[in-house]
Amino acid sequence: MSFAQPWLLSLLVVVVLAVVVWLRGIRSVRGALRGLSRGAAARPPYLAGALVALAAAAAIVAAAQPRWGTQETLIPRKGAQVIFVLDVSRSMAVHDVAPDRMAAAKQALIATVGRLGGDRVGVVIFAGDARTRFPLTSDLEAAVQIIASIEPGPVLVDGGTSASSGLDIAIDGFDGTEAGRLMVLITDGDDLGADPAGVAQRIRDSGIELIVAGAGTPEGGPIPVFEAGAKGEAPKKDAQGNILISKLNEPFLRALAVAAGGRYAGSDLRSLPGIVEGRLTTLNRARFDRQAFTFPVERYQWFAGAALALVALALLVEHRRGRRLAQVAGLACLVVILGGCQTRAYDLNEQGREALAAGDAASAIALFREAQAQQPDDAQVSLNLAAALHEAGRYEEAAQAARRALNAREATQRGKAF
């Protein structure tokens, strides 16, 4: 069990203190009456007092909004498709950019994935041949972990360089939905394979958007290798003993981008995340599945009902005794306390959830914002608002809404916020 307003539970101490003061008052009055009269004093209304005290306690618990159990809502997910085609040949280990080409490429990819909203991402790696490192997925956290583990060299693919094979596999990696398709090629352009012009034409004919990013510098640097018996890296040499230098082939990469109807993003990989994000804003984001969100179920009604029943019983007891003042006091106390549990925010939150489940993100956003105005510290309302803003494609606002739940009392809510 958890509580949306746990601070209200501190009022239970007030109930206990009130009961103590009341009992001491009764004892004091009965002692005074015994000194004034020899007859038996009327029996104090212990039962009615106990019922009113229990009603007040139940009302306080209701006002704290107890929650247990969850209910699930399916929210549609929309996004574009992005496939990164990454060169993992040995030349990507050259140190002409800091710390090396591969590390700079991975940093750019991770930063780019971090800016994606509901989009799906996949990665194809290539050297002498190519393979899919992972297909299109909406699990961006897993995608980042896999990208971070990629290293240059013929481990998962054959040695050499053939971007054409990587682009071919990427073309087939997109699904048949109406979602926009974006391919991002990162390579030093050392060798694009046997038929780069043919691949470029297939990309153009397929309608896939292409961004080409260069890794390295025109001046280049030696290709590092690990030789048997050598300490650390050594420069790779040809059969005549000359050190091999790998240079960024920018003219070729620029020509490839033009032939495919795409864009060459330059060799500063730090700008790639912004370029990809900007291009995605122009692509169609189609619905590809529905994601399940779980929400805690509010149970304040049970405690509010119990409080009402207890007060009704106390009033019945007092009615037989004719104590009108106790009746009015008990009812007034309950009305004041129950006012806290009849929250407008709860109703707004439920209406927002229904609107979001029906695909009306705009109405859901308005309802969640109104609920948030009623209860600014309710982490669940903030998370619901973030989900609605995300569904509407307003990702920056969604992130801001989720940040309000980062200090939530429940670990599960903090995890969802992160």
Side-chain angles (χ1 to χ4, degrees):
M1 179 189 293
S2 62
F3 296 90
Q5 306 290 338
W7 64 271
L8 287 173
L9 296 177
S10 60
L11 295 178
L12 292 173
V13 177
V14 177
V15 176
V16 174
L17 292 175
V19 170
V20 171
V21 171
W22 180 65
L23 290 174
R24 293 187 63 180
I26 287 178
R27 183 177 300 175
S28 176
V29 170
R30 293 193 73 185
L33 289 175
R34 278 197 296 268
L36 296 175
S37 174
R38 295 181 179 180
R43 187 173 181 273
Y46 289 121
L47 179 57
L51 291 174
V52 170
L54 289 174
I60 290 172
V61 173
Q65 294 177 260
R67 301 167 170 178
W68 67 82
T70 59
Q71 55 188 12
E72 188 175 275
T73 298
L74 294 176
I75 298 177
R77 302 183 67 184
K78 296 188 298 183
Q81 307 174 60
V82 185
I83 294 183
F84 298 106
V85 184
L86 178 61
D87 187 348
V88 296
S89 62
R90 176 54 62 183
S91 61
M92 289 293 288
V94 174
H95 297 284
D96 53 348
V97 293
D100 58 58
R101 296 176 182 177
M102 177 58 71
K106 291 195 297 183
Q107 290 171 3
L109 288 185
I110 291 172
T112 302
V113 171
R115 294 195 182 191
L116 300 181
D119 308 296
R120 289 178 292 163
V121 62
V123 169
V124 173
I125 58 174
F126 68 90
D129 63 350
R131 62 168 292 181
T132 299
R133 190 65 182 88
F134 60 86
L136 287 171
T137 179
S138 58
D139 190 344
L140 302 185
E141 183 178 348
V144 166
Q145 293 176 355
I146 295 175
I147 291 171
S149 69
I150 297 174
E151 297 294 338
V155 177
L156 300 175
V157 290
D158 294 336
T161 307
S162 178
S164 298
S165 59
L167 295 172
D168 265 330
I169 290 178
I171 291 173
D172 297 330
F174 295 101
D175 62 25
T177 66
E178 297 180 355
R181 297 174 295 171
L182 177 64
M183 187 186 302
V184 181
L185 170 65
I186 301 180
T187 179
D188 52 25
D190 213 18
D191 180 4
L192 295 184
D195 188 22
V199 174
Q201 188 60 46
R202 286 194 291 277
I203 294 173
R204 179 186 285 271
D205 294 342
S206 67
I208 297 172
E209 300 283 342
L210 176 66
I211 294 177
V212 180
T217 64
E219 296 76 21
I223 302 174
V225 294
F226 290 92
E227 296 181 347
K231 294 182 178 180
E233 297 177 348
K236 187 176 182 180
K237 300 178 181 180
D238 60 16
Q240 289 73 40
N242 299 316
I243 295 176
L244 295 176
I245 301 297
S246 172
K247 300 180 180 181
L248 172 64
N249 193 347
E250 276 197 300
F252 198 58
L253 295 180
R254 191 175 286 109
L256 173 67
V258 172
R263 169 187 177 182
Y264 179 61
S267 59
D268 185 358
L269 293 175
R270 294 171 298 181
S271 64
L272 184 63
I275 293 173
V276 172
E277 182 180 28
R279 194 70 192 91
L280 285 173
T281 59
T282 67
L283 298 182
N284 180 48
R285 283 180 160 88
R287 180 177 300 181
F288 59 88
D289 73 354
R290 303 210 306 175
Q291 183 177 9
F293 282 83
T294 56
F295 302 90
V297 180
E298 302 235 11
R299 309 287 186 175
Y300 75 86
Q301 302 92 336
W302 296 98
F303 294 92
L308 286 170
L310 289 167
V311 165
L313 188 57
L315 293 175
L316 179 61
V317 171
E318 286 302 287
H319 176 72
R320 292 180 177 180
R321 297 174 58 90
R323 297 178 179 272
R324 297 289 182 181
L325 183 59
Q327 296 175 31
V328 175
L331 183 59
C333 178
L334 182 60
V335 168
V336 170
I337 298 177
L338 281 179
C341 69
Q342 300 293 338
T343 57
R344 169 76 172 150
Y346 176 78
D347 294 334
L348 291 168
N349 184 61
E350 291 300 302
Q351 294 171 24
R353 288 181 53 237
E354 293 173 1
L356 188 56
D360 187 358
S363 296
I365 291 170
L367 289 164
F368 289 140
R369 286 200 186 281
E370 191 174 348
Q372 192 176 61
Q374 297 280 336
Q375 290 187 335
D377 297 328
D378 192 319
Q380 190 58 56
V381 173
S382 297
L383 289 173
N384 294 349
L385 175 59
L389 289 166
H390 186 278
E391 171 65 16
R394 295 158 63 176
Y395 303 119
E396 289 296 329
E397 293 178 72
Q400 292 174 4
R403 288 191 188 102
R404 298 189 66 163
L406 289 177
N407 295 321
R409 286 174 290 272
E410 296 183 20
T412 54
Q413 289 183 331
R414 293 196 299 272
K416 290 178 181 178
F418 276 115

